[in-house]
Amino acid sequence: MIKLHHLNKSRSKRIIWLLEELDLDYEIVAYQRNKDTFLAPDELKQVHPLGKSPVIEDNGLVIAESGAITDYLITQYGNGKFAPKSGTAEYIDYQQWLHFAESSAILPLLLKMFVAKDGAKTQFLEGYADAEAAKIMSYFNSRLEGKRYLVNDTLTGADIMMSFIVEIIKNAGQLAHFSHIAKYDEQLQSHEKYHTADELEAKYD
Amino acid sequence: MIKLHHLNKSRSKRIIWLLEELDLDYEIVAYQRNKDTFLAPDELKQVHPLGKSPVIEDNGLVIAESGAITDYLITQYGNGKFAPKSGTAEYIDYQQWLHFAESSAILPLLLKMFVAKDGAKTQFLEGYADAEAAKIMSYFNSRLEGKRYLVNDTLTGADIMMSFIVEIIKNAGQLAHFSHIAKYDEQLQSHEKYHTADELEAKYD
């Protein structure tokens, strides 16, 4: 059975969502962040030396990195769903979103969050983070214009990966400025399993 | 012919290296960073709305994100080289490295670089960035112990993606502390095309 090493308030919730959509048997091994430092506990290092989450175990493999996990689970268990056919233009678009979510998109958004949380007066970092985050949000918003989903008008791993980015934007109170992202958020929430993942996240928090 | 939209001093150099290894016909369209702000020029936005580099054009497709470009080029033109066979455990490891390079690895390293460049006294950000960057470097170092390459004892896209991370570590003066990364750097430099990419980067800088 697939084992998901799950940390509360982490990127791991979207893997629960994916596992639920794939209707797979899986077990959640839950870990809690330190309440003061918000850091992951040391036990996670026994699963993977980086001590991060999500990490899955399946078929004797230990797999880290949300994008790689998403790719693996859909390739292995998707039965042609949740990803476009390999070799098509849509597949390449899909791969770009998998990478975009955890590279170009998340970096400025986290930077902005970190700088705000730190509170120190920076020379240029705050302005840089604000400008780059604004660029990412407005690009993402414009790509969603007139669309229900990112690729092929159906739910794919790209949407599940980007759902975490939508949450960051929402938690930063920015959704009101980006109407297409707001509408997309509603579309994601129309999936029953999205809420199952929310409930499981809450249960293990 | 493949078109590479190349920005000086950017993640784009490794795509030159890959194109050279694949022995493909391609054209470099060169862009220069603003000398004062170090930002990419606005012309890049005409290629891709994010205004980033690398971006490639091929077969009518415009592809961004280093990991997605690497994956695409090797799948399309690798003839079984530069990536393990799909469906193997090595392939999954390879995919993890493609994602790791631009997500888990680069985030703390860039954060540390940004905070140092900014110079402002932070509350916790500097300490956090230092600790996370140290974690990444020592993990990467330990994974390289006794190995010439990351996957399958041969050069793959994983090495080409991680070569940019090696450069960041080198430029930060940290290579002396991580002997396996230092040795790996020499191994990467044993490839003639690594230097071709360096020369082309210098030519367009």
Side-chain angles (χ1 to χ4, degrees), chain A residues 64-65 96 103-104 118 124, chain B residues 64-65 96 103-104 118 123-124:
Chain A
E65 301 299 325
Q96 284 182 81
S103 49
S104 292
D118 188 87
F124 70 85
Chain B
E65 301 299 324
Q96 284 182 81
S103 49
S104 293
D118 188 88
Q123 303 292 323
F124 71 85

Side-chain angles (χ1 to χ4, degrees), chain A residues 48-50 52 61 64-65 72 92 96 99-100 102-104 111 118 120-125 132 139, chain B residues 48 50 52 61 64-65 72 92 96 99-100 102-104 111 114 118 120-125 132 139:
Chain A
H48 187 289
L50 275 179
K52 306 240 175 211
L61 299 167
E65 301 299 325
Y72 168 79
I92 291 152
Q96 284 182 81
H99 282 277
F100 176 78
E102 283 295 321
S103 49
S104 292
L111 187 61
D118 188 87
K121 177 117 197 74
T122 65
Q123 304 292 321
F124 70 85
L125 207 50
E132 290 295 307
Y139 165 70
Chain B
H48 188 288
L50 275 178
K52 306 242 174 208
L61 299 167
E65 301 299 324
Y72 167 80
I92 292 153
Q96 284 182 81
H99 283 277
F100 176 77
E102 284 294 322
S103 49
S104 293
L111 187 61
F114 285 155
D118 188 88
K121 177 114 196 76
T122 64
Q123 303 292 323
F124 71 85
L125 207 49
E132 290 295 306
Y139 166 70

Side-chain angles (χ1 to χ4, degrees), chain B:
Chain B
M1 203 189 342
I2 297 167
K3 222 182 243 183
L4 170 63
H5 295 275
H6 170 77
L7 178 67
N8 63 324
K9 296 189 174 59
S10 81
R11 292 159 166 87
S12 174
K13 190 172 77 177
R14 61 185 160 192
I15 303 300
I16 301 183
W17 183 16
L18 178 58
L19 288 162
E20 289 288 334
E21 290 288 350
L22 291 168
D23 207 14
L24 292 168
D25 268 344
Y26 68 98
E27 177 195 345
I28 291 179
V29 187
Y31 303 81
Q32 301 293 320
R33 289 183 185 276
N34 180 298
K35 271 174 201 152
D36 299 320
T37 63
F38 207 63
L39 293 174
D42 276 347
E43 305 121 81
L44 258 176
K45 285 189 192 143
Q46 283 153 27
V47 182
H48 188 288
L50 275 178
K52 306 242 174 208
S53 171
V55 168
I56 65 163
E57 287 185 69
D58 189 30
N59 290 321
L61 299 167
V62 178
I63 311 176
E65 301 299 324
S66 303
I69 294 171
T70 299
D71 203 28
Y72 167 80
L73 287 173
I74 292 174
T75 304
Q76 199 78 359
Y77 303 111
N79 290 315
K81 282 179 76 182
F82 304 112
K85 261 204 188 113
S86 173
T88 61
E90 289 75 19
Y91 180 78
I92 292 153
D93 206 23
Y94 164 78
Q95 283 292 343
Q96 284 182 81
W97 286 112
L98 291 196
H99 283 277
F100 176 77
E102 284 294 322
S103 49
S104 293
I106 208 163
L107 201 145
L109 294 171
L110 285 187
L111 187 61
K112 186 177 156 78
M113 200 197 285
F114 285 155
V115 168
K117 212 169 180 175
D118 188 88
K121 177 114 196 76
T122 64
Q123 303 292 323
F124 71 85
L125 207 49
E126 188 180 352
Y128 173 78
D130 282 352
E132 290 295 306
K135 217 187 274 178
I136 289 299
M137 291 187 286
S138 82
Y139 166 70
F140 180 32
N141 191 58
S142 71
R143 287 291 306 268
L144 285 166
E145 191 176 346
K147 295 176 91 169
R148 296 194 312 153
Y149 299 99
L150 290 167
V151 187
N152 273 355
D153 199 34
T154 186
L155 184 74
T156 68
D159 302 300
I160 293 176
M161 281 295 286
M162 286 299 292
S163 69
F164 186 65
I165 301 299
V166 174
E167 260 193 63
I168 294 178
I169 295 172
K170 183 156 53 175
N171 293 341
Q174 294 290 314
L175 221 47
H177 306 300
F178 299 99
S179 62
H180 305 308
I181 304 176
K183 210 176 146 202
Y184 176 63
D185 180 42
E186 284 171 24
Q187 184 66 34
L188 297 181
Q189 292 201 43
S190 73
H191 292 267
E192 194 191 324
K193 302 298 172 77
Y194 178 103
H195 299 284
T196 312
D198 256 350
E199 284 154 23
L200 284 167
E201 154 73 26
K203 179 180 160 191
Y204 290 107
D205 193 358

